Amino acid sequence: MLTSTDFTGLLNERFFRNLLPKPALDDLRLGILTPDFKLTDVTNNRTIKLSDYRGQQPVILAFTRIFTEKQYCPFCYPHIKALNENYEEFTKRGIEILMITSTDKHQSQAVVRDLGLKMPLLINPSCHIFRTYHTGQALGAPLPAQFVLDKDGKLSYRHLFSFLEHNASIEKLLTQCNDRSHSDS
C-alpha cells in the first residue's frame, strides 16, 4: 500500500495537468454559499448533488490526494483513515463527510475496497471541482483541503493545505461543526 513501488496509472492526463505547483487560494469567503456540484459517489454507486444537503445538515467537503489505487499521498493517507474511522461519530452528530478525489472510477473503487471506506468517495478526475474551490495543485495532483458547510450550505470553516498543517484534524472538524450548530440555536 504505502510502501508500494508500483506506479502504474500515475502518469496520465490528470498528472500532467496538475504537475506545476499552484498555491491554494483563500477566495471563498466565510458565510457564503459554496459552489454547487454533482459528482459520482463510488462508495454507494450514486450521484450526489451538494445542494441536496442545503437546509438538511452540515457537510464537510474533504478534498484529498490519492495518486493511484496503489499510491496515496503520505499526508492524506492518515487523514483519510482517521475520517473513515470517525465517520460514525460525524454522522451521529448529523454531519455528512463527502470525500473528493481526483482518481478515476476504477482507481477510486479500488481505494474504497482497499481502505474499507464507509463515507462517500466522490470522483472528480477532471479536477474541475478542486479548481472551483481553489485547493491548489502540485506534483501531479490537486492539494488537500477541507471545507465545513453549515446546514444551509454556507461556508463556516476552511482549511487549506500548508506544509505546517497538511489537513485539519478530526477534533478541529468536529469542533467547527459543533460550534456552528450551537451558534444557529
Side-chain angles (χ1 to χ4, degrees):
M1 184 180 347
L2 285 174
T3 58
S4 173
T5 56
D6 183 349
F7 295 101
T8 305
L10 180 63
L11 300 178
N12 56 26
E13 181 184 343
R14 176 195 56 151
F15 178 85
F16 293 108
R17 196 174 35 232
N18 290 284
L19 184 61
L20 296 177
K22 287 185 187 174
L25 299 175
D26 195 7
D27 285 352
L28 296 178
R29 298 289 159 228
L30 297 177
I32 64 159
L33 281 177
T34 58
D36 196 14
F37 60 76
K38 184 166 64 170
L39 295 172
T40 300
D41 167 14
V42 295
T43 305
N44 302 297
N45 197 27
R46 62 184 173 150
T47 300
I48 288 187
K49 188 173 179 186
L50 180 59
S51 58
D52 288 344
Y53 291 93
R54 289 184 186 151
Q56 305 298 314
Q57 69 186 107
V59 173
I60 296 172
L61 301 179
F63 290 86
T64 193
R65 281 170 68 97
I66 302 171
F67 298 108
T68 73
E69 69 271 19
K70 295 179 174 83
Q71 298 294 324
Y72 297 92
C73 166
F75 303 127
C76 293
Y77 179 77
H79 192 249
I80 296 167
K81 298 274 291 174
L83 285 172
N84 196 48
E85 289 165 5
N86 290 280
Y87 183 62
E88 285 85 11
E89 182 63 29
F90 284 96
T91 58
K92 186 170 71 176
R93 296 178 189 210
I95 303 160
E96 181 59 276
I97 299 173
L98 301 176
M99 181 161 286
I100 303 169
T101 180
S102 62
T103 49
D104 66 28
K105 186 174 183 177
H106 170 75
Q107 292 171 327
S108 298
Q109 288 169 332
V111 167
V112 168
R113 285 189 306 274
D114 184 41
L115 300 180
L117 290 187
K118 298 171 256 182
M119 65 191 142
L121 181 63
L122 310 182
I123 58 171
N124 183 223
S126 71
C127 305
H128 71 280
I129 301 303
F130 285 88
R131 286 187 183 84
T132 299
Y133 279 76
H134 308 282
T135 64
Q137 66 184 43
L139 303 174
L143 294 172
Q146 296 80 46
F147 298 87
V148 174
L149 313 181
D150 68 16
K151 67 180 178 61
D152 296 318
K154 294 180 181 172
L155 182 62
S156 60
Y157 171 78
R158 71 182 155 273
H159 176 88
L160 301 173
F161 175 85
S162 77
F163 284 108
L164 298 176
E165 191 175 6
H166 313 116
N167 292 287
S169 69
I170 299 302
E171 296 77 21
K172 182 71 169 177
L173 293 171
L174 282 169
T175 299
Q176 291 299 320
C177 290
N178 287 340
D179 288 352
R180 301 309 170 217
S181 63
H182 295 313
S183 66
D184 292 343
S185 307

